[in-house]
Amino acid sequence: MHSPVRHPENSGSTPTDPYVQLITPDGVRTPDPLYDRWVQDIDGARLRELYIDMAVIRRIDTEATALQRQGELGLWPPLLGQEAAQIGSGRSLRTSDFVFSSYRENGVAYCRGVGMEDLMRVWRGNAAAGWDPYTVNMAPTQVIIGAQALHAAGYAMGITRDGSDDAAVSYFGDGATSQGDVNEAMVFAASFSAPVVFFCTNNQWAISEPVTLQAQVPIANRAPGFGIPSIRVDGNDVLAVMAATREALDRARSGNGPTFIEAVTYRMGPHTTADDPTRYRDDAELEQWRAKDPLSRVQALLASMGLFTDEFAAEARTRADTAAAELRAACLGMPDPVPADVFAHVYSEPHSWLDRQQEQYSRYLSAFAGEENRK
Amino acid sequence: MTSMTFGRAITAGLRRAMEQDPKVLIMGEDVGKLGGVFRITDGLQQDFGPQRVVDTPLAESGIMGTAVGLAFRGYRPVVEIQFDGFIYPAFDQIVSQVAKMHYRTRGAVKLPLTIRVPFGGGIGSPEHHSESPEAYFTHTSGLRVISVSNPQDAYTMIQQAIASDDPVLYFEPKRRYHVKGEVDEAAAAQLPMGAARVVSEGSDVTLVAYGPLVPTARDAAVAASDEGVSIEVIDLRSLAPIDFATVEASVRKTGRLVVTHEAAQSGGLGAEIAASITERCFEYLEHAPVRVTGFDIPYPPARLESHHLPDLDRILDGVDCVLDRPSSLSGAVSGSAAG
Ligand SMILES: Cc1ncc(C[n+]2csc(CCOP(=O)(O)OP(=O)(O)O)c2C)c(N)n1
C-alpha cells in the first residue's frame, strides 16, 4: 500500500469547524440571526423542562449502567454527553412523525413515550425489540450500522404518497456515514424529495476509531454532494439542536425534501458497557469535552435568568430519581421469557418445518418434567 | 509446546504469517489500537505498523471490496469481520466478487483472501452477535470454509488459510476464545487444510461436529460412555470442502450418524452431510442420519439462547434416536403425547 492511512492530525474534520450554537458552554445565550426564530417560544419555563428531560435521561443512563454492572442487563450503550442531541431533537418531533434510530438513542425513545420496561427489554436479553413501533411511532433500535437510514427514506417516500405532512427521522453515528446504506439513503431521499431528516450524532468515535477515519472534512459537508442541505450544529447545545431539527422538519413538512444534521457532540463513556476506552483515547480529550457539558450550560443559563433555584434543582433531582427507581423496578420485575417464545412470531402463518421442530422440542422438554435442570 | 488460549493461538498464527510474508495485511474495524473487540489482533499494529494492520472505515462492503483490489495488486489481505451478523453488508462482495474472480479470469487473478469471522452464540449477546452463517458460504463455489475448535488447529489453520491461494472463510467460535490448550508452534502446516480429525474413537455412533460444538460433542461422548454407548466424535475442521472420506470410514464402522451444529437446520450443513453419507454408505447405515441443530428461527434473545443451542442433553437425545431408543425425535418419550 503506497498511500498512507490518514491520521487524525491530517484531517479537516475537527470539532472547531463552525457550527450553530445558541448557548455557549458557559451558559451565555448568543443571538443567531438565522436560527433564533426557530426557538422563540422557548421561554424560561420551557427551558426548565428541557433541563429536566436531560437530567432524567442522564439518570436513566446511569441507572442502566449500574444495572448492567450488577448483572441485570446483558449490555448497555451509554448516552452520557449526548443528552442535548437526543432531547433537543426528540422534543422537536410531533407524535405522528416516525423515528428510525440506532441502539444509542434511548433518550429519544424516552421522548417518544417508550415505557421503562420496554426500554430495558432488549438490553436485559428478553426480546429482540422492546416496544410496538406503531404505539410510539419509533422503529425497534437498530444494531446493523446505518441500515435504518434507508428505512427512514422509504417511510418518508410513503408519507409523500399519502399526502401527509409528517416526517421521518433517522438517527445514526459518525461511523455509520461510511456505510453504503447511509449513502444510498441519501441518494433515494434526494431523488424522491422525501420528507426525512438524517440526524447524525457525531460523537467523535466509532468504538476505537476516531471520526477522522470516516471523514476528512466535516461530515455535514457530505450531504450537499447528494443535493441535500445540511446543518452542522453544536450537539451539546439543546437549543441549537432544537432549532436545527425544527428547521429540518419544517423543510420536510413543506414539501422541500430531506435535510442532514450533524450534531457535534462527544461520547463521554465507553462505547458500550463491554468496551474499554482507555485503550484508545486519552483523558485530556475527555476533560476538554467535560467543559462543554450539555446540562451544566443550561444550568448556568437558567441561573443567570434566576431560574435555577434550590426548589427547581430539587424538583429535577426528584424527577430523575423517580425515573431511575421506575427503571430499576421495571427491569427487575420483568418476567423471564418462556421456551415457547423461541418459536413465536418467526412467521405470521403456520410453517411446517418450524411446527415440527417446536413439537419435537416440547416433547424433549417434557422428558425433563419435574427436573430443575432446564427451564 | 506452549499453553495458550484459543484467542492467543490465533494471534500467534497471524503474527507468524505476517513475519513470514510482507504481503500479508490485516484489515478491519477496530483491529489496530484496540486490537479488535475480541483482542485477536492485540499488539500487531504496534509491532507491524498501521500500514500492515489497518483500521478501516466502518463499511464491510468497503473492506471486502478494497481487499479484492489489494489482492489484485499482489497482497494477501486478512480481513476481520467484527461479528458474524455484520458479514452481510459484505455478502455481495464475497459471493459475487471474491468467490468468482479466479474462475472468471481463468486463474489469472488469485484472491488469497482470508476472512476471519467470530461466530456462534452462547455469550449472551444482543441480536446480530451470535449468528452461524457458514452455510451461505459453503453453498458458494469458489470459497473455502473452515472452522477451528481448539488452540492448536487455530494456530495452524490460520496460517494455512493465509497461505492458501484461494479465498478462505475462517470461522472462530467466539465462546471458546478463552479455552486453553497446548500449541506446538513447530507443527504448522503439517496436514492439508481440509482434513477432518477424529477427536475420540468409538464404535456405536459417529457424531460429527465443528467449531463451538466440538467440546460439547466430546462431553456428550464421555457422558454416553458412562451408559455403555461408544461414540466416535469427528471434528470436521473444513466445511467446504468436507473430508467425507473420514466421516464415511467412521460410519462404515459405527453404522449410525448424528450431526450437530448451532446453525438452523433446514438447508444447513447437517443436511449436506446426512445426504452425502447416505449416498456413500447407505448399506452400512442402521438408522437414518439425525441432525441436532439450532432451530429454524432468527437467533433468539440472550435469555432464550440456551433453548436454541444444542447442548449435551439434546445431542444425547439425538444419539438415542439413532440407537432406536425412545427420544424426542422418534416421538416416543414416555409420559408425553406421541407426535
Ligand atoms: C454493519 C455493522 N458493522 C459493525 C458493527 C459493530 N459496531 C457496533 S457499534 C460500532 C461503532 C458505531 O459507531 P458510530 O456509527 O459512530 O455510532 P456510535 O456507536 O458512536 O453512536 C460498530 C463498529 C455493527 N453493529 N454493524
Side-chain angles (χ1 to χ4, degrees):
Chain A
M1 279 208 328
H2 299 293
S3 65
V5 172
R6 290 248 219 148
H7 286 289
E9 311 84 78
N10 303 338
S11 161
S13 174
T14 71
T16 55
D17 283 309
Y19 52 31
V20 179
Q21 185 182 73
L22 301 180
I23 310 174
T24 67
D26 299 334
V28 178
R29 176 73 170 85
T30 49
D32 184 301
L34 284 176
Y35 284 91
D36 280 347
R37 69 188 182 103
W38 295 108
V39 287
Q40 260 163 7
D41 58 318
I42 306 295
D43 56 11
R46 301 284 302 275
L47 197 59
R48 276 179 152 188
E49 286 169 25
L50 291 173
Y51 178 87
I52 288 183
D53 276 339
M54 291 196 291
V56 167
I57 67 167
R58 177 169 287 189
R59 189 73 176 77
I60 286 175
D61 195 61
T62 319
E63 194 69 14
T65 303
L67 282 164
Q68 197 281 334
R69 300 292 182 223
Q70 291 156 10
E72 299 293 346
L73 298 181
L75 190 77
W76 179 255
L79 59 75
L80 183 70
Q82 302 181 198
E83 294 86 355
Q86 297 200 13
I87 293 300
S89 58
R91 286 298 184 218
S92 301
L93 309 177
R94 64 187 192 200
T95 315
S96 53
D97 295 331
F98 206 100
V99 172
F100 296 85
S101 82
S102 89
Y103 42 80
R104 204 182 295 287
E105 277 78 31
N106 289 297
V108 176
Y110 174 77
C111 293
R112 300 307 284 164
V114 170
M116 295 299 176
E117 187 176 333
D118 284 350
L119 201 59
M120 292 294 98
R121 213 179 285 286
V122 168
W123 306 110
R124 191 159 165 81
N126 280 37
W131 52 82
D132 174 350
Y134 293 113
T135 62
V136 289
N137 281 350
M138 178 165 178
T141 52
Q142 179 64 254
V143 169
I144 300 299
I145 301 297
Q148 71 276 20
L150 279 165
H151 307 162
Y155 188 97
M157 287 158 63
I159 291 175
T160 310
R161 272 157 210 265
D162 293 345
S164 150
D165 71 346
D166 291 333
V169 185
S170 173
Y171 288 86
F172 47 82
D174 41 297
T177 61
S178 293
Q179 289 282 359
D181 278 4
V182 171
N183 290 275
E184 292 177 31
M186 287 199 269
V187 172
F188 275 71
S191 294
F192 296 103
S193 195
V196 55
V197 179
F198 296 115
F199 192 99
C200 174
T201 303
N202 175 2
N203 66 10
Q204 312 301 320
W205 291 91
I207 311 187
S208 75
E209 302 189 334
V211 60
T212 48
L213 187 59
Q214 322 289 342
Q216 304 307 312
V217 296
I219 286 175
N221 292 12
R222 198 172 293 183
F226 291 95
I228 298 176
S230 67
I231 315 169
R232 193 163 200 263
V233 64
D234 180 346
N236 284 12
D237 173 349
V238 71
L239 268 196
V241 172
M242 191 165 233
T245 312
R246 284 172 163 191
E247 184 192 39
L249 288 168
D250 182 69
R251 181 172 295 129
R253 298 196 204 294
S254 47
N256 294 314
T259 305
F260 186 101
I261 296 173
E262 177 192 358
V264 182
T265 180
Y266 194 73
R267 187 236 304 151
M268 301 290 289
H271 169 70
T272 65
T273 43
D275 177 42
D276 173 12
T278 62
R279 291 181 73 105
Y280 54 82
R281 68 180 194 191
D282 62 35
D283 287 348
E285 182 182 284
L286 194 64
E287 285 317 309
Q288 254 181 4
W289 280 91
R290 218 183 282 287
K292 303 180 191 169
D293 187 86
L295 271 80
S296 59
R297 74 174 72 182
V298 175
Q299 175 173 343
L301 177 58
L302 284 170
S304 72
M305 298 159 80
L307 291 173
F308 203 86
T309 57
D310 288 347
E311 301 93 273
F312 175 71
E315 185 197 336
R317 217 174 308 121
T318 309
R319 289 273 297 277
D321 287 345
T322 308
E326 269 175 36
L327 179 92
R328 176 167 288 270
C331 177
L332 300 182
M334 201 181 303
D336 278 334
V338 296
D341 287 347
V342 170
F343 300 96
H345 306 300
V346 180
Y347 301 95
S348 49
E349 290 169 21
H351 191 282
S352 57
W353 293 0
L354 195 56
D355 291 348
R356 181 163 188 268
Q357 290 178 11
Q358 176 158 16
E359 185 188 304
Q360 285 171 343
Y361 190 59
S362 67
R363 206 148 56 212
Y364 171 79
L365 284 183
S366 69
F368 291 91
E371 290 180 36
E372 280 305 301
N373 58 348
R374 289 192 76 88
K375 39 173 187 144
Chain B
M1 296 283 253
T2 323
S3 171
M4 59 177 98
T5 63
F6 202 114
R8 281 286 136 254
I10 303 172
T11 316
L14 287 170
R15 177 180 292 280
R16 190 59 156 338
M18 293 188 81
E19 283 164 358
Q20 286 178 348
D21 185 349
K23 295 288 187 188
V24 174
L25 300 178
I26 291 180
M27 310 167 54
E29 295 159 9
D30 302 293
V31 296
K33 238 183 193 173
L34 188 66
V37 290
F38 292 108
R39 312 282 186 259
I40 302 302
T41 55
D42 200 13
L44 296 179
Q45 190 183 63
Q46 207 169 7
D47 297 346
F48 293 94
Q51 291 295 317
R52 294 196 59 201
V53 182
V54 186
D55 269 333
T56 63
L58 208 179
E60 287 76 11
S61 182
I63 296 169
M64 208 61 70
T66 56
V68 169
L70 281 157
F72 258 93
R73 180 77 192 176
Y75 287 91
R76 305 184 88 85
V78 182
V79 163
E80 175 174 303
I81 293 294
Q82 198 158 75
F83 274 91
D84 35 53
F86 310 146
I87 200 168
Y88 306 117
F91 193 71
D92 171 53
Q93 284 289 336
I94 296 172
V95 302
S96 304
Q97 306 300 327
V98 173
K100 296 184 171 72
M101 199 60 77
H102 190 257
Y103 189 70
R104 287 170 59 214
T105 61
R106 300 182 147 263
V109 177
K110 303 227 179 295
L111 275 180
L113 195 63
T114 302
I115 305 169
R116 291 183 36 241
V117 191
F119 87 122
I123 63 166
S125 276
E127 55 177 352
H128 309 294
H129 289 77
S130 303
E131 314 230 322
S132 299
E134 59 273 19
Y136 296 117
F137 302 101
T138 60
H139 193 65
T140 299
S141 307
L143 303 174
R144 293 181 186 273
V145 182
I146 60 185
S147 179
V148 286
S149 73
N150 62 76
Q152 178 70 61
D153 285 354
Y155 175 76
T156 310
M157 294 180 77
I158 188 66
Q159 294 179 65
Q160 292 172 335
I162 295 169
S164 170
D165 275 342
D166 287 322
V168 180
L169 281 116
Y170 179 93
F171 281 100
E172 304 169 4
K174 63 173 89 84
R175 68 162 132 148
R176 308 290 184 193
Y177 274 145
H178 299 294
V179 173
K180 270 201 155 181
E182 293 297 319
V183 175
D184 178 356
E185 292 179 66
Q190 272 174 359
L191 287 164
M193 189 165 64
R197 177 174 68 106
V198 177
V199 178
S200 57
E201 293 192 13
S203 52
D204 298 332
V205 176
T206 299
L207 174 58
V208 172
Y210 56 87
L213 288 185
V214 172
T216 316
R218 204 183 41 217
D219 293 347
V222 171
S225 75
D226 293 343
E227 293 175 25
V229 175
S230 168
I231 296 183
E232 179 146 304
V233 177
I234 294 179
D235 174 1
L236 282 184
R237 300 205 280 203
S238 175
L239 312 183
I242 286 172
D243 171 11
F244 279 119
T246 299
V247 184
E248 189 182 335
S250 176
V251 172
R252 279 173 193 261
K253 183 170 68 174
T254 63
R256 295 179 165 89
L257 173 65
V258 174
V259 185
T260 187
H261 54 64
E262 289 188 10
Q265 185 168 95
S266 302
L269 274 181
E272 177 58 42
I273 295 164
S276 291
I277 288 302
T278 305
E279 280 172 4
R280 283 159 198 257
C281 45
F282 179 63
E283 66 275 23
Y284 291 87
L285 284 167
E286 309 274 350
H287 191 283
V290 154
R291 292 166 288 169
V292 181
T293 69
F295 300 119
D296 293 353
I297 60 169
Y299 196 87
R303 284 183 190 242
L304 284 169
E305 68 180 347
S306 64
H307 290 290
H308 174 65
L309 294 173
D311 62 3
L312 185 147
D313 287 328
R314 264 179 72 201
I315 291 172
L316 291 178
D317 185 63
V319 167
D320 283 341
C321 183
V322 294
L323 288 169
D324 288 313
R325 296 170 169 188
S327 77
S328 68
L329 302 173
S330 62
V333 166
S334 57
S336 75

